[in-house]
C-alpha cells in the first residue's frame, strides 16, 4: 500500500493564481483532512471529510475549497493564492470504524510558496 | 474555540538527559493523541490515550492523560539523537472525532 500520497511536493505560485493540491489514499479510510503547518503554530485544520460527498470546514477554511467525489481522493483548491497561504500542507486520513480511535496517517506534504 | 497549548515550545537536552513536554486543552477531551514529526518529515502517530489518568509506555516514552482529561504529558527517559523532532498532542473538539485540534508542538533538540 502507498498510504497517503500528495502531489506536488513543491510549488511556487504568483499572487492571484489558482491551483489544486492532490491527495489520495489507498487504505479505504472514510475520514480525510487537510492541514496547514506554519512555524510555531502547529497544524491547523483547513477542511475535512467524513466520507464521499461530505465535507466541512475546519479552523482556517477561508481561501480554500474541497470536494470528495470518491473515498480515495480529497483535493484542496486554492482559488486565488495569497502570500499568507505560503505554508506546508498535509493531507491525512483515518479509519472510521470506531468513533473513539482515529489515528491519522499523514502524507509527505506539499511545500507551497506564494510570491 | 478549543485551544491546545504545549510547553515548552523548544527544548535542548544533552543526550542521556530526560525530556518532558506538557499539553493543556481549554476543553475536556474524549481522547488525546501524540504525534512525532522528524525535521523535514510528516507527523507520525505515536499513541492514543482514552481513559482518565491513563498511563502508557513505549520503551523510553511514557504518556499520561490527566484525571480531568484536559492535560497530558510525554516523558522521554535518557534521550537519544533519534528522539530529535517536534512532538504534538492532538484531540478531537466538540465538532466531532474527525475535527482534530493539534497542539502548538514542542521541538526537541538532542545534543550528542
Amino acid at each position: 500500500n502507498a498510504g497517503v500520497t500528495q502531489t506536488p511536493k513543491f510549488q511556487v505560485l504568483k499572487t492571484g493564481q489558482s491551483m489544486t493540491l492532490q491527495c489520495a489514499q489507498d487504505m479505504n479510510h472514510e475520514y480525510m483532512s487537510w492541514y496547514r503547518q506554519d512555524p510555531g503554530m502547529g497544524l491547523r485544520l483547513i477542511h475535512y471529510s467524513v466520507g464521499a460527498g461530505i465535507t466541512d470546514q475546519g479552523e482556517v477554511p477561508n481561501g480554500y475549497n474541497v470536494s470528495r467525489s470518491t473515498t480515495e481522493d480529497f483535493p484542496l483548491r486554492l482559488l486565488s493564492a495569497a502570500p499568507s497561504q505560503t505554508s506546508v500542507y498535509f493531507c491525512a486520513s483515518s479509519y472510521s470504524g470506531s468513533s473513539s480511535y482515529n489515528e491519522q496517517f499523514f502524507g509527505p506534504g506539499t511545500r507551497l510558496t506564494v510570491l | 474555540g478549543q485551544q491546545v497549548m504545549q510547553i515548552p515550545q523548544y527544548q535542548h537536552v544533552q543526550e542521556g538527559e530526560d525530556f518532558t513536554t506538557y499539553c493543556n486543552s481549554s476543553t475536556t477531551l474524549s481522547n488525546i493523541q501524540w504525534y512525532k514529526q522528524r525535521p523535514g518529515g510528516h507527523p507520525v502517530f505515536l499513541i492514543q490515550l482514552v481513559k482518565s489518568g491513563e498511563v502508557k509506555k513505549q520503551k523510553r516514552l511514557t504518556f499520561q492523560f490527566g484525571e480531568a482529561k484536559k492535560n497530558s504529558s510525554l516523558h522521554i527517559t535518557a534521550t537519544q539523537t533519534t528522539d530529535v523532532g517536534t512532538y504534538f498532542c492532538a484531540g478531537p473538539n466538540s465538532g466531532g472525532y474527525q475535527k482534530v485540534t493539534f497542539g502548538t508542538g514542542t521541538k526537541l533538540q538532542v545534543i550528542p
Side-chain angles (χ1 to χ4, degrees):
Chain A
N1 287 352
V4 180
T5 58
Q6 291 183 238
T7 56
K9 289 187 177 180
F10 302 93
Q11 183 71 50
V12 179
L13 292 178
K14 293 182 179 179
T15 297
Q17 287 185 317
S18 63
M19 79 159 296
T20 299
L21 307 185
Q22 301 292 344
C23 174
Q25 52 92 11
D26 62 358
M27 297 174 282
N28 203 31
H29 287 166
E30 288 295 319
Y31 294 170
M32 295 187 75
S33 300
W34 276 103
Y35 295 89
R36 61 176 288 173
Q37 184 173 33
D38 302 295
M41 301 189 73
L43 292 103
R44 292 183 292 171
L45 183 65
I46 304 171
H47 285 284
Y48 66 102
S49 169
V50 297
I54 306 170
T55 63
D56 205 349
Q57 295 182 350
E59 181 185 353
V60 288
N62 292 342
Y64 307 95
N65 274 358
V66 292
S67 60
R68 184 97 180 269
S69 56
T70 67
T71 299
E72 294 78 20
D73 300 298
F74 191 42
L76 177 72
R77 282 183 289 277
L78 280 70
L79 308 174
S80 178
S84 61
Q85 293 179 304
T86 294
S87 188
V88 180
Y89 292 85
F90 288 102
C91 178
S93 72
S94 61
Y95 176 58
S96 63
S98 169
S99 61
S100 65
Y101 187 77
N102 56 340
E103 168 189 355
Q104 294 195 75
F105 295 82
F106 282 81
T110 294
R111 283 149 180 80
L112 175 68
T113 301
V114 183
L115 302 175
Chain B
Q2 180 190 51
Q3 292 187 345
V4 181
M5 303 298 294
Q6 282 183 253
I7 54 170
Q9 189 174 3
Y10 301 96
Q11 184 80 58
H12 292 76
V13 299
Q14 205 74 34
E15 188 174 17
E17 291 182 338
D18 291 357
F19 159 78
T20 304
T21 174
Y22 300 92
C23 175
N24 294 286
S25 171
S26 59
T27 60
T28 300
L29 300 170
S30 58
N31 65 69
I32 195 158
Q33 300 176 344
W34 284 91
Y35 291 81
K36 177 183 178 181
Q37 184 178 23
R38 294 182 185 275
H42 58 276
V44 175
F45 176 83
L46 293 176
I47 206 162
Q48 176 166 297
L49 305 171
V50 178
K51 298 177 183 177
S52 170
E54 188 170 13
V55 178
K56 287 189 175 180
K57 291 189 176 184
Q58 289 181 347
K59 297 183 180 179
R60 295 177 296 103
L61 278 61
T62 302
F63 304 85
Q64 288 188 309
F65 200 9
E67 295 289 342
K69 301 184 78 173
K70 294 182 70 175
N71 57 74
S72 181
S73 65
L74 158 59
H75 179 82
I76 303 178
T77 303
T79 55
Q80 301 175 357
T81 54
T82 53
D83 296 324
V84 165
T86 301
Y87 293 85
F88 293 99
C89 61
N93 71 27
S94 58
Y97 285 104
Q98 185 55 13
K99 200 166 185 177
V100 175
T101 300
F102 274 76
T104 46
T106 296
K107 187 173 184 178
L108 173 64
Q109 184 64 264
V110 179
I111 305 163

